[in-house]
Amino acid sequence: MEQLRLEPINNVNGSVTLPGSKSLSNRILLLAALAEGTTVVENLLDSDDIRHMLGALKLLGVDVSLNDDKTVATVKGVGGQLLTPSEPLFLGNAGTAYRPLTAVLAAVSGEYELIGEPRMEERPIGHLVDALQALGGDVTYLKNKDYPPLKIVGGQIKGGQVEIDGSISSQFLTALLMAAPLFSGDTKITIKGALVSKPYIDITLDVMARFGIAVANDDYKTFIVKGAQQYQAIERIMVEGDASSASYFVAAAAIAGGEIEIKGVGAKSVQGDIGFAKVMEQVGAKIDWYDERLVVHKGQLKGVDIDANAIPDAAMTLATVALFADGPTAIRNIYNWRVKETDRLHAMATELRKVGAEVVEGEDFIEIIPPTHFNDVAIDTYDDHRIAMCFAMVAVGGKAITINDPKCTYKTFPTFFKTLASVSH
Ligand SMILES: O=C(O)C1=C[C@@H](OP(=O)(O)O)[C@@H](O)[C@H](O)C1
Ligand SMILES: C=C(OP(=O)(O)O)C(=O)O
């Protein structure tokens, strides 16, 4: 297994340009593919999750051409007419590809098999399949009920009234919303239970609006989408920098600045994970806010007790910032950490303890008491990009650490360690 040794970093300083947002890149690619007309996508993320969406679109007959560094895509929209692919669509462990494609392919004519990595077969999708089946969609499980892989015979959905459970993943509602304009009739979606990760629905509604589809949103409880509509291409669309990826540099500057300028997200971001920067202000970071960038300086860091339901991805970064805070940190309302790339609650608790922290792992929360002594250990990353990136913060805090399988960062941020090195002194 590959390992990356990180020696203690004394100071971070400089400027970072973020790669494009994963959540925006995959939404924009899918809607551009379905649209009438050609869309040019700029600042596209080049990472595994996007590669899986691009691979699927190719097999579905969509013409997408990329520039040399794969950050500009020209997508020739097919106006909702996709091909039946010659082989199953392999979607890796990319939730932002698997879930939206499930709903969209249930809505358009054709036969499809959606497969993924072994971990994808452990990530639930039953709430989405229940809703699609209730609407008359032909979606069946190829192995275990409620989990991928799936077989879909598309083109059966007329719309109507449907409930969807929002308590495990917002991606199910995102998927249904994105597919609903393709149903033959209007759809009224009612949320059952709590809606987790709510800001991701704002990203979905924003991207749909940019491609010409309005959704009536009654306080995130019901959504009405008109049927038999076409997405309309956008001549040029720029993907914002990734706000979840920004979290590592916000944290690094707060722990060891210097000062880091982070270009690509700021006060005007459509991504909920920008909220992490607000949490870091509570922790003690000093942040200057601009529309599309942040400048972050070191602060005296203190423990906080927060509800992180709205920022599940970025909140993982807080768990390693907590190692350098005065006093304990609690991160609450994060049950769905358990159904992402790995059981993140258990994995984070295990690795934080290895470093020397005292940790309480609750069913839906984690509490971290900073170490009195840091152990120089090798961090297992569980094929989870965010665990690898979070634990780099140990080196930023001046303690040596080894990261096992560092290339797991390729899921969303292949250049992460290089970018961190560029601001490390
Ligand atoms: O819609 C999206 O782009 C995402 C939604 C979130 O998932 P959940 O809604 O499952 O929490 C987030 O964790 C994921 O990385 C991306
Ligand atoms: C949960 C994540 O990914 P996915 O889009 O596969 O759900 C993530 O990137 O942290």
Side-chain angles (χ1 to χ4, degrees):
M1 178 196 40
E2 191 174 333
Q3 294 189 308
L4 178 68
R5 175 78 181 155
L6 296 176
E7 297 301 338
I9 295 166
N10 296 320
N11 175 260
V12 290
N13 226 319
S15 181
V16 165
T17 300
L18 295 167
S21 150
K22 167 197 77 170
S23 295
L24 284 163
S25 292
N26 270 351
R27 282 168 172 78
I28 289 171
L29 283 175
L30 181 57
L31 297 195
L34 292 169
E36 280 178 331
T38 298
T39 298
V40 176
V41 188
E42 294 175 338
N43 199 37
L44 187 74
L45 175 62
D46 174 25
S47 81
D48 286 352
D49 278 8
I50 302 336
R51 199 165 43 77
H52 292 310
M53 176 63 90
L54 288 167
L57 294 178
K58 191 171 176 195
L59 285 168
L60 292 165
V62 183
D63 180 346
V64 182
S65 55
L66 294 171
N67 72 336
D68 283 352
D69 71 2
K70 302 197 176 96
T71 60
V72 180
T74 304
V75 185
K76 290 198 182 137
V78 293
Q81 303 293 308
L82 298 168
L83 296 183
T84 288
S86 52
E87 56 188 272
L89 303 179
F90 177 79
L91 301 168
N93 193 11
T96 54
Y98 204 104
R99 279 78 181 259
L101 277 167
T102 296
V104 161
L105 296 178
V108 300
S109 300
E111 287 196 23
Y112 313 95
E113 255 184 52
L114 269 59
I115 62 174
E117 287 171 13
R119 176 61 184 171
M120 190 50 109
E121 297 187 3
E122 296 172 352
R123 297 182 68 187
I125 195 159
H127 293 161
L128 175 58
V129 174
D130 287 349
L132 293 169
Q133 289 174 340
L135 283 166
D138 185 346
V139 183
T140 48
Y141 299 107
L142 289 169
K143 286 190 180 163
N144 296 318
K145 182 174 171 342
D146 295 335
Y147 294 87
L150 298 175
K151 165 97 195 277
I152 299 170
V153 181
Q156 315 285 321
I157 303 186
K158 296 189 179 62
Q161 306 227 8
V162 68
E163 285 191 335
I164 189 160
D165 191 318
S167 63
I168 287 290
S169 171
S170 68
Q171 291 181 4
F172 306 147
L173 174 60
T174 280
L176 199 54
L177 286 166
M178 285 170 67
L182 311 175
F183 302 163
S184 53
D186 300 351
T187 307
K188 180 175 179 188
I189 304 167
T190 302
I191 307 303
K192 198 161 66 175
L195 175 59
V196 296
S197 307
K198 202 159 96 182
Y200 287 95
I201 299 306
D202 295 326
I203 302 182
T204 303
L205 298 178
D206 185 74
V207 175
M208 288 175 69
R210 295 178 75 174
F211 281 92
I213 302 288
V215 174
N217 167 9
D218 181 7
D219 197 24
Y220 302 89
K221 293 191 177 78
T222 61
F223 297 84
I224 296 173
V225 190
K226 282 203 183 318
Q229 298 193 80
Q230 286 279 7
Y231 286 105
Q232 297 304 320
I234 305 171
E235 215 172 301
R236 297 189 98 73
I237 182 167
M238 172 88 179
V239 177
E240 269 186 18
D242 193 301
S244 319
S245 298
S247 71
Y248 311 107
F249 298 96
V250 173
I255 295 169
E259 169 183 298
I260 300 187
E261 178 194 34
I262 301 165
K263 294 195 269 193
V265 289
K268 282 215 166 142
S269 175
V270 67
Q271 299 165 74
D273 266 4
I274 195 68
F276 176 77
K278 303 229 168 74
V279 172
M280 284 304 296
E281 286 181 325
Q282 265 175 264
V283 174
K286 305 270 178 290
I287 304 184
D288 305 326
W289 290 78
Y290 302 90
D291 285 354
E292 292 174 1
R293 67 191 178 99
L294 301 171
V295 179
V296 186
H297 318 258
K298 182 178 165 61
Q300 183 64 37
L301 305 186
K302 60 176 198 303
V304 290
D305 187 326
I306 64 150
D307 180 328
N309 194 273
I311 55 165
D313 295 357
M316 289 175 73
T317 314
L318 181 61
T320 50
V321 169
L323 295 167
F324 301 100
D326 294 334
T329 294
I331 307 172
R332 302 192 189 280
N333 203 5
I334 48 167
Y335 171 79
N336 77 358
W337 274 22
R338 295 195 184 276
V339 294
K340 296 186 185 264
E341 279 73 341
T342 184
D343 178 342
R344 287 177 163 172
L345 260 164
H346 187 62
M348 289 301 285
T350 306
E351 300 309 308
L352 288 163
R353 282 188 192 117
K354 270 164 64 176
V355 172
E358 211 179 290
V359 181
V360 181
E361 177 195 336
E363 185 58 7
D364 68 347
F365 69 88
I366 187 165
E367 286 172 3
I368 303 136
I369 299 172
T372 45
H373 168 80
F374 280 77
N375 304 316
D376 180 351
V377 291
I379 297 297
D380 288 316
T381 49
Y382 309 80
D383 213 6
D384 185 343
H385 52 138
R386 298 203 190 283
I387 295 187
M389 296 190 280
C390 284
F391 277 89
M393 296 306 115
V394 175
V396 172
K399 313 288 177 189
I401 191 105
T402 298
I403 307 290
N404 289 339
D405 185 23
K407 291 210 173 98
C408 62
T409 58
Y410 284 23
K411 186 174 192 281
T412 57
F413 199 167
T415 54
F416 171 73
F417 286 107
K418 233 199 281 175
T419 309
L420 182 62
S422 75
V423 291
S424 300
H425 306 285

mmCIF file of all heavy atoms in Angstrom, residues 354-386:
data_model
loop_
_atom_site.group_PDB
_atom_site.id
_atom_site.type_symbol
_atom_site.label_atom_id
_atom_site.label_comp_id
_atom_site.label_asym_id
_atom_site.label_seq_id
_atom_site.Cartn_x
_atom_site.Cartn_y
_atom_site.Cartn_z
ATOM 1 N N LYS A 354 -6.219 7.154 17.590
ATOM 2 C CA LYS A 354 -4.837 6.736 17.304
ATOM 3 C C LYS A 354 -3.872 7.916 17.474
ATOM 4 O O LYS A 354 -2.761 7.772 17.968
ATOM 5 C CB LYS A 354 -4.735 6.188 15.864
ATOM 6 C CG LYS A 354 -4.982 4.693 15.783
ATOM 7 C CD LYS A 354 -5.265 4.167 14.398
ATOM 8 C CE LYS A 354 -4.176 4.272 13.390
ATOM 9 N NZ LYS A 354 -4.572 3.634 12.098
ATOM 10 N N VAL A 355 -4.327 9.102 17.055
ATOM 11 C CA VAL A 355 -3.471 10.301 17.161
ATOM 12 C C VAL A 355 -3.274 10.701 18.629
ATOM 13 O O VAL A 355 -2.265 11.303 18.980
ATOM 14 C CB VAL A 355 -4.085 11.462 16.332
ATOM 15 C CG1 VAL A 355 -3.358 12.768 16.555
ATOM 16 C CG2 VAL A 355 -4.076 11.106 14.852
ATOM 17 N N GLY A 356 -4.239 10.344 19.485
ATOM 18 C CA GLY A 356 -4.081 10.650 20.907
ATOM 19 C C GLY A 356 -5.269 11.364 21.541
ATOM 20 O O GLY A 356 -5.250 11.644 22.741
ATOM 21 N N ALA A 357 -6.299 11.654 20.739
ATOM 22 C CA ALA A 357 -7.467 12.349 21.286
ATOM 23 C C ALA A 357 -8.338 11.383 22.090
ATOM 24 O O ALA A 357 -8.325 10.176 21.852
ATOM 25 C CB ALA A 357 -8.296 12.951 20.150
ATOM 26 N N GLU A 358 -9.105 11.965 23.020
ATOM 27 C CA GLU A 358 -10.137 11.186 23.701
ATOM 28 C C GLU A 358 -11.426 11.440 22.925
ATOM 29 O O GLU A 358 -11.759 12.617 22.668
ATOM 30 C CB GLU A 358 -10.276 11.736 25.129
ATOM 31 C CG GLU A 358 -10.673 10.719 26.146
ATOM 32 C CD GLU A 358 -10.742 11.380 27.508
ATOM 33 O OE1 GLU A 358 -9.663 11.753 28.054
ATOM 34 O OE2 GLU A 358 -11.865 11.545 27.984
ATOM 35 N N VAL A 359 -12.132 10.379 22.537
ATOM 36 C CA VAL A 359 -13.262 10.551 21.622
ATOM 37 C C VAL A 359 -14.488 9.804 22.133
ATOM 38 O O VAL A 359 -14.382 8.656 22.566
ATOM 39 C CB VAL A 359 -12.906 10.011 20.209
ATOM 40 C CG1 VAL A 359 -14.076 10.201 19.245
ATOM 41 C CG2 VAL A 359 -11.661 10.697 19.663
ATOM 42 N N VAL A 360 -15.654 10.458 22.057
ATOM 43 C CA VAL A 360 -16.926 9.760 22.272
ATOM 44 C C VAL A 360 -17.592 9.619 20.910
ATOM 45 O O VAL A 360 -17.813 10.622 20.227
ATOM 46 C CB VAL A 360 -17.868 10.549 23.214
ATOM 47 C CG1 VAL A 360 -19.174 9.783 23.424
ATOM 48 C CG2 VAL A 360 -17.176 10.852 24.535
ATOM 49 N N GLU A 361 -17.874 8.375 20.507
ATOM 50 C CA GLU A 361 -18.586 8.136 19.240
ATOM 51 C C GLU A 361 -20.035 7.833 19.563
ATOM 52 O O GLU A 361 -20.355 6.762 20.060
ATOM 53 C CB GLU A 361 -17.948 6.946 18.501
ATOM 54 C CG GLU A 361 -18.694 6.606 17.225
ATOM 55 C CD GLU A 361 -18.324 5.217 16.657
ATOM 56 O OE1 GLU A 361 -17.223 4.701 16.944
ATOM 57 O OE2 GLU A 361 -19.176 4.666 15.938
ATOM 58 N N GLY A 362 -20.930 8.803 19.305
ATOM 59 C CA GLY A 362 -22.359 8.560 19.515
ATOM 60 C C GLY A 362 -22.976 8.033 18.233
ATOM 61 O O GLY A 362 -22.332 7.989 17.185
ATOM 62 N N GLU A 363 -24.261 7.674 18.320
ATOM 63 C CA GLU A 363 -24.952 7.173 17.124
ATOM 64 C C GLU A 363 -24.962 8.252 16.032
ATOM 65 O O GLU A 363 -24.773 7.953 14.859
ATOM 66 C CB GLU A 363 -26.380 6.766 17.527
ATOM 67 C CG GLU A 363 -27.226 6.105 16.465
ATOM 68 C CD GLU A 363 -26.629 4.813 15.867
ATOM 69 O OE1 GLU A 363 -25.597 4.308 16.356
ATOM 70 O OE2 GLU A 363 -27.208 4.343 14.874
ATOM 71 N N ASP A 364 -25.156 9.525 16.440
ATOM 72 C CA ASP A 364 -25.209 10.590 15.424
ATOM 73 C C ASP A 364 -24.360 11.805 15.820
ATOM 74 O O ASP A 364 -24.649 12.923 15.403
ATOM 75 C CB ASP A 364 -26.660 11.005 15.154
ATOM 76 C CG ASP A 364 -27.286 11.709 16.336
ATOM 77 O OD1 ASP A 364 -26.694 11.672 17.452
ATOM 78 O OD2 ASP A 364 -28.362 12.311 16.166
ATOM 79 N N PHE A 365 -23.371 11.591 16.662
ATOM 80 C CA PHE A 365 -22.488 12.718 17.038
ATOM 81 C C PHE A 365 -21.102 12.198 17.373
ATOM 82 O O PHE A 365 -20.896 10.991 17.565
ATOM 83 C CB PHE A 365 -23.055 13.500 18.238
ATOM 84 C CG PHE A 365 -23.036 12.736 19.533
ATOM 85 C CD1 PHE A 365 -21.920 12.769 20.373
ATOM 86 C CD2 PHE A 365 -24.133 11.966 19.911
ATOM 87 C CE1 PHE A 365 -21.901 12.045 21.570
ATOM 88 C CE2 PHE A 365 -24.109 11.230 21.103
ATOM 89 C CZ PHE A 365 -23.000 11.284 21.929
ATOM 90 N N ILE A 366 -20.162 13.143 17.433
ATOM 91 C CA ILE A 366 -18.809 12.798 17.877
ATOM 92 C C ILE A 366 -18.318 13.929 18.787
ATOM 93 O O ILE A 366 -18.592 15.108 18.524
ATOM 94 C CB ILE A 366 -17.870 12.564 16.661
ATOM 95 C CG1 ILE A 366 -16.500 12.043 17.081
ATOM 96 C CG2 ILE A 366 -17.717 13.809 15.796
ATOM 97 C CD1 ILE A 366 -15.679 11.469 15.915
ATOM 98 N N GLU A 367 -17.657 13.553 19.872
ATOM 99 C CA GLU A 367 -17.048 14.545 20.776
ATOM 100 C C GLU A 367 -15.561 14.263 20.832
ATOM 101 O O GLU A 367 -15.157 13.103 20.953
ATOM 102 C CB GLU A 367 -17.645 14.429 22.183
ATOM 103 C CG GLU A 367 -19.052 14.983 22.273
ATOM 104 C CD GLU A 367 -19.712 14.690 23.632
ATOM 105 O OE1 GLU A 367 -19.036 14.098 24.510
ATOM 106 O OE2 GLU A 367 -20.875 15.043 23.775
ATOM 107 N N ILE A 368 -14.785 15.325 20.763
ATOM 108 C CA ILE A 368 -13.330 15.165 20.675
ATOM 109 C C ILE A 368 -12.661 16.016 21.735
ATOM 110 O O ILE A 368 -12.852 17.239 21.782
ATOM 111 C CB ILE A 368 -12.829 15.602 19.272
ATOM 112 C CG1 ILE A 368 -13.556 14.792 18.180
ATOM 113 C CG2 ILE A 368 -11.310 15.454 19.149
ATOM 114 C CD1 ILE A 368 -14.026 15.611 17.023
ATOM 115 N N ILE A 369 -11.879 15.366 22.583
ATOM 116 C CA ILE A 369 -11.057 16.101 23.561
ATOM 117 C C ILE A 369 -9.623 16.062 23.039
ATOM 118 O O ILE A 369 -9.091 14.985 22.761
ATOM 119 C CB ILE A 369 -11.163 15.474 24.967
ATOM 120 C CG1 ILE A 369 -12.631 15.549 25.424
ATOM 121 C CG2 ILE A 369 -10.235 16.172 25.959
ATOM 122 C CD1 ILE A 369 -12.915 14.802 26.710
ATOM 123 N N PRO A 370 -8.994 17.224 22.838
ATOM 124 C CA PRO A 370 -7.679 17.247 22.200
ATOM 125 C C PRO A 370 -6.634 16.447 22.979
ATOM 126 O O PRO A 370 -6.731 16.332 24.203
ATOM 127 C CB PRO A 370 -7.297 18.727 22.179
ATOM 128 C CG PRO A 370 -8.471 19.485 22.667
ATOM 129 C CD PRO A 370 -9.483 18.557 23.219
ATOM 130 N N PRO A 371 -5.642 15.908 22.266
ATOM 131 C CA PRO A 371 -4.610 15.100 22.924
ATOM 132 C C PRO A 371 -3.710 15.950 23.824
ATOM 133 O O PRO A 371 -3.499 17.125 23.545
ATOM 134 C CB PRO A 371 -3.767 14.572 21.753
ATOM 135 C CG PRO A 371 -4.466 14.954 20.508
ATOM 136 C CD PRO A 371 -5.444 16.021 20.814
ATOM 137 N N THR A 372 -3.163 15.322 24.835
ATOM 138 C CA THR A 372 -2.109 15.991 25.604
ATOM 139 C C THR A 372 -0.761 15.655 24.971
ATOM 140 O O THR A 372 0.210 16.388 25.071
ATOM 141 C CB THR A 372 -2.127 15.527 27.075
ATOM 142 O OG1 THR A 372 -2.274 14.110 27.075
ATOM 143 C CG2 THR A 372 -3.281 16.145 27.836
ATOM 144 N N HIS A 373 -0.727 14.497 24.288
ATOM 145 C CA HIS A 373 0.485 14.083 23.572
ATOM 146 C C HIS A 373 0.058 13.514 22.223
ATOM 147 O O HIS A 373 -0.894 12.740 22.149
ATOM 148 C CB HIS A 373 1.223 13.012 24.394
ATOM 149 C CG HIS A 373 2.287 12.335 23.608
ATOM 150 N ND1 HIS A 373 3.527 12.899 23.410
ATOM 151 C CD2 HIS A 373 2.294 11.155 22.920
ATOM 152 C CE1 HIS A 373 4.245 12.079 22.647
ATOM 153 N NE2 HIS A 373 3.510 11.020 22.331
ATOM 154 N N PHE A 374 0.738 13.930 21.145
ATOM 155 C CA PHE A 374 0.397 13.420 19.800
ATOM 156 C C PHE A 374 1.238 12.193 19.474
ATOM 157 O O PHE A 374 2.467 12.223 19.631
ATOM 158 C CB PHE A 374 0.644 14.498 18.732
ATOM 159 C CG PHE A 374 -0.455 15.516 18.634
ATOM 160 C CD1 PHE A 374 -0.572 16.532 19.570
ATOM 161 C CD2 PHE A 374 -1.387 15.455 17.595
ATOM 162 C CE1 PHE A 374 -1.594 17.474 19.487
ATOM 163 C CE2 PHE A 374 -2.406 16.388 17.508
ATOM 164 C CZ PHE A 374 -2.514 17.402 18.444
ATOM 165 N N ASN A 375 0.591 11.135 18.988
ATOM 166 C CA ASN A 375 1.310 9.947 18.536
ATOM 167 C C ASN A 375 1.613 10.081 17.048
ATOM 168 O O ASN A 375 0.760 10.526 16.275
ATOM 169 C CB ASN A 375 0.452 8.695 18.751
ATOM 170 C CG ASN A 375 0.015 8.568 20.206
ATOM 171 O OD1 ASN A 375 0.828 8.774 21.118
ATOM 172 N ND2 ASN A 375 -1.249 8.254 20.425
ATOM 173 N N ASP A 376 2.816 9.679 16.677
ATOM 174 C CA ASP A 376 3.215 9.708 15.261
ATOM 175 C C ASP A 376 2.754 8.383 14.634
ATOM 176 O O ASP A 376 3.431 7.367 14.754
ATOM 177 C CB ASP A 376 4.738 9.878 15.186
ATOM 178 C CG ASP A 376 5.249 9.925 13.753
ATOM 179 O OD1 ASP A 376 4.464 9.655 12.821
ATOM 180 O OD2 ASP A 376 6.444 10.223 13.576
ATOM 181 N N VAL A 377 1.581 8.384 14.006
ATOM 182 C CA VAL A 377 0.962 7.130 13.540
ATOM 183 C C VAL A 377 0.675 7.183 12.042
ATOM 184 O O VAL A 377 0.762 8.245 11.416
ATOM 185 C CB VAL A 377 -0.367 6.857 14.293
ATOM 186 C CG1 VAL A 377 -0.118 6.510 15.739
ATOM 187 C CG2 VAL A 377 -1.330 8.049 14.167
ATOM 188 N N ALA A 378 0.304 6.015 11.500
ATOM 189 C CA ALA A 378 -0.163 5.931 10.109
ATOM 190 C C ALA A 378 -1.695 5.898 10.135
ATOM 191 O O ALA A 378 -2.295 5.042 10.798
ATOM 192 C CB ALA A 378 0.383 4.680 9.443
ATOM 193 N N ILE A 379 -2.301 6.850 9.434
ATOM 194 C CA ILE A 379 -3.762 6.967 9.427
ATOM 195 C C ILE A 379 -4.355 6.076 8.332
ATOM 196 O O ILE A 379 -3.977 6.186 7.163
ATOM 197 C CB ILE A 379 -4.166 8.440 9.166
ATOM 198 C CG1 ILE A 379 -3.674 9.348 10.303
ATOM 199 C CG2 ILE A 379 -5.670 8.590 8.937
ATOM 200 C CD1 ILE A 379 -4.266 9.054 11.659
ATOM 201 N N ASP A 380 -5.253 5.186 8.720
ATOM 202 C CA ASP A 380 -5.993 4.418 7.711
ATOM 203 C C ASP A 380 -7.066 5.328 7.120
ATOM 204 O O ASP A 380 -7.716 6.085 7.853
ATOM 205 C CB ASP A 380 -6.635 3.186 8.353
ATOM 206 C CG ASP A 380 -5.576 2.155 8.686
ATOM 207 O OD1 ASP A 380 -4.697 1.914 7.835
ATOM 208 O OD2 ASP A 380 -5.589 1.625 9.811
ATOM 209 N N THR A 381 -7.248 5.231 5.789
ATOM 210 C CA THR A 381 -8.161 6.189 5.148
ATOM 211 C C THR A 381 -9.445 5.554 4.610
ATOM 212 O O THR A 381 -10.317 6.264 4.116
ATOM 213 C CB THR A 381 -7.431 6.962 4.030
ATOM 214 O OG1 THR A 381 -6.744 6.040 3.195
ATOM 215 C CG2 THR A 381 -6.444 7.947 4.613
ATOM 216 N N TYR A 382 -9.582 4.240 4.671
ATOM 217 C CA TYR A 382 -10.863 3.576 4.380
ATOM 218 C C TYR A 382 -11.408 3.917 2.989
ATOM 219 O O TYR A 382 -12.609 4.006 2.796
ATOM 220 C CB TYR A 382 -11.916 3.940 5.442
ATOM 221 C CG TYR A 382 -11.473 3.754 6.875
ATOM 222 C CD1 TYR A 382 -10.666 4.701 7.511
ATOM 223 C CD2 TYR A 382 -11.842 2.628 7.605
ATOM 224 C CE1 TYR A 382 -10.239 4.530 8.828
ATOM 225 C CE2 TYR A 382 -11.425 2.449 8.921
ATOM 226 C CZ TYR A 382 -10.629 3.403 9.523
ATOM 227 O OH TYR A 382 -10.217 3.229 10.815
ATOM 228 N N ASP A 383 -10.531 4.180 2.050
ATOM 229 C CA ASP A 383 -10.941 4.590 0.707
ATOM 230 C C ASP A 383 -11.833 5.844 0.759
ATOM 231 O O ASP A 383 -12.739 6.018 -0.057
ATOM 232 C CB ASP A 383 -11.688 3.440 0.004
ATOM 233 C CG ASP A 383 -11.430 3.463 -1.495
ATOM 234 O OD1 ASP A 383 -10.599 4.271 -1.947
ATOM 235 O OD2 ASP A 383 -12.067 2.676 -2.210
ATOM 236 N N ASP A 384 -11.564 6.690 1.718
ATOM 237 C CA ASP A 384 -12.376 7.899 1.917
ATOM 238 C C ASP A 384 -11.470 9.131 1.789
ATOM 239 O O ASP A 384 -10.667 9.438 2.686
ATOM 240 C CB ASP A 384 -13.045 7.861 3.294
ATOM 241 C CG ASP A 384 -13.997 9.037 3.503
ATOM 242 O OD1 ASP A 384 -13.915 10.039 2.744
ATOM 243 O OD2 ASP A 384 -14.826 8.967 4.431
ATOM 244 N N HIS A 385 -11.621 9.809 0.659
ATOM 245 C CA HIS A 385 -10.839 11.010 0.357
ATOM 246 C C HIS A 385 -10.806 12.009 1.498
ATOM 247 O O HIS A 385 -9.774 12.608 1.798
ATOM 248 C CB HIS A 385 -11.394 11.661 -0.918
ATOM 249 C CG HIS A 385 -12.880 11.915 -0.883
ATOM 250 N ND1 HIS A 385 -13.461 13.063 -1.342
ATOM 251 C CD2 HIS A 385 -13.926 11.170 -0.404
ATOM 252 C CE1 HIS A 385 -14.767 13.010 -1.181
ATOM 253 N NE2 HIS A 385 -15.076 11.871 -0.628
ATOM 254 N N ARG A 386 -11.974 12.194 2.175
ATOM 255 C CA ARG A 386 -12.003 13.251 3.203
ATOM 256 C C ARG A 386 -11.194 12.864 4.443
ATOM 257 O O ARG A 386 -10.659 13.735 5.135
ATOM 258 C CB ARG A 386 -13.448 13.597 3.573
ATOM 259 C CG ARG A 386 -14.209 14.139 2.381
ATOM 260 C CD ARG A 386 -15.405 14.983 2.697
ATOM 261 N NE ARG A 386 -16.123 15.196 1.453
ATOM 262 C CZ ARG A 386 -15.774 16.052 0.486
ATOM 263 N NH1 ARG A 386 -14.727 16.841 0.660
ATOM 264 N NH2 ARG A 386 -16.460 16.146 -0.633
#
